[in-house]
Amino acid sequence: MKRAIVIGAGMGGLASAIELAGRGWAVRVVEAAAEAGGKAGIAVVDGVEFDTGPSLLTLPDVLDDVFKAGGTYLADEIELLPLNPAFRYVWPRGDTLDMYSEPAETLASVRDALGGEAEAEFAAFLKYSRGIWDAAAPGFVYACAPTLFGVVRMGVSGLAALSKIDGMRSMEAAIRSRVRTPALRDVLARYATYNGSDVRRAPATLNCIAHVELGLGGWGVRGGMYSIVRALERVAKRCGVEFVYGHRVERVDVRGGQAVTVDGEPADVVVVNADVGAVTTGLLQVEPRPALAVEPRSMSGWNGVVRARRAPRVGHTVLFPERPYLEEFADIFDRGRWPADPTVYVCAQEPCHRRTGWAEDEPLFLMVNAPAGAEVDGVEAVAMRRLVGAGLLGAEDAVVWRRTPRDLAERFPGSDGALYGAASNGMFSAFKRPANRGAARGLYYASGSAHPGGGVPLCLQSGRQAAADILADFA
């Protein structure tokens, strides 16, 4: 029986563990924290548990494939919840736009809020977005990490593929060329933040995120996003995976080009489910130390959970700033500071995930984007003032849990607080992201900082791809 050690019990590590154990491998997962989940975490205040990480599930088929590898199905392990409306976008002058689970309802909402011309623009953009996804997903998401050499070697067909994914201009340039309605430009630009990138620099390929959320759908999860973590851990244990919590791995020994031990414990393969920055900085010692891309760092953020008086709410609300939205990206990526006039994101976890709050209050998860490693003094007061002014909070509602970029950096060594590894701020960014197969035989990477990127489904896919590479290499 082959033996695998997985360093980290985040989404990617759990996926790798299940994929390997389901195929007869002996798997041990070693996690520094006291529980699984990684960035998909939880906290408890006055007896009420709430999520402190991702707030929306997209591409549930990826999760279903992980469960199938463990001998079960998504529908048997967790319950997905449609959201109607899913998102409410609010502008300072009071204008609002709702997005729904079904594209037809979303387009009708755009027509009602912004007019028929805006509806036509949005419909055309969603068609364009779907075209990118259909062309990019097979080679850039559901396969080994792409290489520029591999595309060039494909010749005309490779260049044709690059043309279909619109990788030679920025997201912002593509949005501006296709959409004239300012509010829709704001909504579409925000998708760059889903992997912590700069809409002015990220390749237009990432405009496919609009299709992933609006075309393929986004869901809540009954009991909270952490229900996914609990289900993955449960399935992994049924497959025989052993978990060790509260131990931070310090060293992976490589001898003769082969990863052989983890803190002295022998293994046939090692899966690193941690930020690749931990390896490049030596916090996790791998000798010889590999060169892995970690720059430019993706966005970080200030997070807070408000104990708010219960009221009718949409699952997800986004408050756009007074200033032009692009100034937020300039503040973060050019000026290295949290936005002077930030966008504020709110997830109401009761209507979104059917979580249970306090007797009269509910937990609202907040996020303000910020640079990795940044100081964010004052951002909490600004965010709360914006929410009270918009009528989403009362003056008596208070933050009961908070986390800064520095807190994230401490919790996830080597990340500098970045949420998604390296930002996709360039047309060749997809070719620079670390592959799942490491330079040493038997060493693999599975996390949001490795291929194919950050976010729940891509982290899961990173774990699946690492496992697929292992099974191919050790067949």
Side-chain angles (χ1 to χ4, degrees):
M1 182 181 289
K2 294 292 185 182
R3 179 172 176 77
I5 296 179
V6 180
I7 303 172
M11 292 286 188
L14 292 169
S16 284
I18 291 171
E19 293 276 351
L20 293 174
R23 286 158 178 79
W25 283 60
V27 182
R28 190 180 199 197
V29 177
V30 184
E31 167 59 50
E35 68 284 319
K39 293 187 178 76
I42 50 172
V44 178
V45 173
D46 293 337
V48 170
E49 179 187 276
F50 45 77
D51 293 316
T52 61
S55 300
L56 181 74
L57 179 65
T58 57
L59 300 178
D61 286 351
V62 177
L63 179 58
D64 193 32
D65 286 339
V66 176
F67 283 132
K68 288 176 183 175
T72 185
Y73 298 92
L74 182 152
D76 293 331
E77 302 297 336
I78 62 173
E79 180 184 352
L80 301 187
L81 303 170
L83 304 173
N84 286 300
F87 275 78
R88 174 163 294 161
Y89 294 95
V90 182
W91 285 264
R93 59 185 176 273
D95 296 338
T96 64
L97 175 63
D98 288 347
M99 300 291 185
Y100 290 82
S101 298
E102 293 296 328
E105 290 183 88
T106 294
L107 290 173
S109 178
V110 170
R111 180 182 65 247
D112 293 342
L114 303 173
E117 185 175 334
E119 178 193 15
E121 288 179 345
F122 206 53
F125 193 92
L126 291 181
K127 182 178 180 180
Y128 151 80
S129 175
R130 176 176 181 172
I132 294 176
W133 175 255
D134 290 345
F140 287 80
V141 177
Y142 300 119
C144 295
T147 65
L148 187 57
F149 175 73
V151 173
V152 171
R153 193 170 59 180
M154 291 171 63
V156 174
S157 61
L159 294 176
L162 284 179
S163 174
K164 290 179 181 178
I165 66 175
D166 201 4
M168 304 303 289
R169 59 177 174 169
S170 71
M171 287 183 73
E172 195 268 334
I175 292 168
R176 187 168 292 276
S177 72
R178 292 175 171 272
V179 176
R180 290 184 292 178
T181 305
L184 293 182
R185 286 180 173 178
D186 287 345
V187 170
L188 295 170
R190 185 175 168 273
Y191 287 119
T193 69
Y194 279 39
N195 78 343
S197 298
D198 183 351
V199 71
R200 304 165 304 161
R201 297 182 175 96
T205 307
L206 294 186
N207 281 322
C208 70
I209 298 173
H211 171 66
V212 170
E213 181 176 286
L214 299 174
L216 300 178
W219 282 266
V221 179
R222 184 174 293 279
M225 291 292 286
Y226 200 75
S227 296
I228 299 173
V229 176
R230 289 191 169 108
L232 290 170
E233 183 185 37
R234 182 170 65 244
V235 171
K237 288 180 177 178
R238 289 206 298 257
C239 292
V241 175
E242 177 189 2
F243 286 86
V244 176
Y245 290 110
H247 176 77
R248 186 178 296 281
V249 172
E250 296 182 353
R251 185 178 183 88
V252 176
D253 286 311
V254 177
R255 297 175 192 149
Q258 166 81 43
V260 291
T261 64
V262 175
D263 284 351
E265 182 180 351
D268 294 294
V269 301
V270 179
V271 179
V272 178
N273 173 229
D275 195 288
V276 298
V279 176
T280 61
T281 60
L283 293 171
L284 173 59
Q285 296 181 45
V286 179
E287 302 295 344
R289 190 179 301 175
L292 302 169
V294 298
E295 299 289 347
R297 297 285 190 179
S298 63
M299 290 178 179
S300 184
W302 172 86
N303 299 127
V305 171
V306 173
R307 180 170 177 168
R309 185 55 57 95
R310 192 170 284 108
R313 303 182 196 275
V314 170
H316 306 274
T317 302
V318 177
L319 271 66
F320 282 114
E322 288 273 5
R323 293 196 308 168
Y325 184 38
L326 293 184
E327 283 297 305
E328 178 159 321
F329 296 93
D331 277 341
I332 293 171
F333 289 103
D334 300 345
R335 303 172 189 125
R337 68 189 188 200
W338 62 271
D341 185 16
T343 300
V344 182
Y345 164 78
V346 183
C347 175
Q349 295 188 7
E350 283 193 346
C352 187
H353 300 299
R354 306 299 190 268
R355 274 198 173 277
T356 301
W358 299 273
E360 296 181 346
D361 303 324
E362 61 179 314
L364 305 182
F365 175 81
L366 313 183
M367 182 166 181
V368 173
N369 292 319
E375 294 284 359
V376 290
D377 293 343
V379 69
E380 179 177 320
V382 171
M384 292 295 286
R385 188 162 56 247
R386 289 278 309 282
L387 291 165
V388 171
L392 294 175
L393 292 180
E396 70 283 1
D397 296 334
V399 176
V400 295
W401 177 92
R402 53 184 61 78
R403 181 177 59 198
T404 70
R406 297 293 176 89
D407 295 330
L408 283 163
E410 182 177 346
R411 170 66 178 84
F412 302 103
S415 70
D416 197 29
L419 286 167
Y420 313 94
S424 298
N425 288 351
M427 65 179 66
F428 300 116
S429 57
F431 304 110
K432 296 178 180 178
R433 189 172 289 275
N436 305 106
R437 184 184 279 113
R441 176 174 168 80
L443 182 62
Y444 301 83
Y445 299 95
S447 73
S449 59
H451 171 72
V456 171
L458 296 192
C459 287
L460 290 168
Q461 181 59 26
S462 184
R464 295 189 69 232
Q465 187 59 52
D469 290 344
I470 291 168
L471 294 171
D473 292 347
F474 289 79

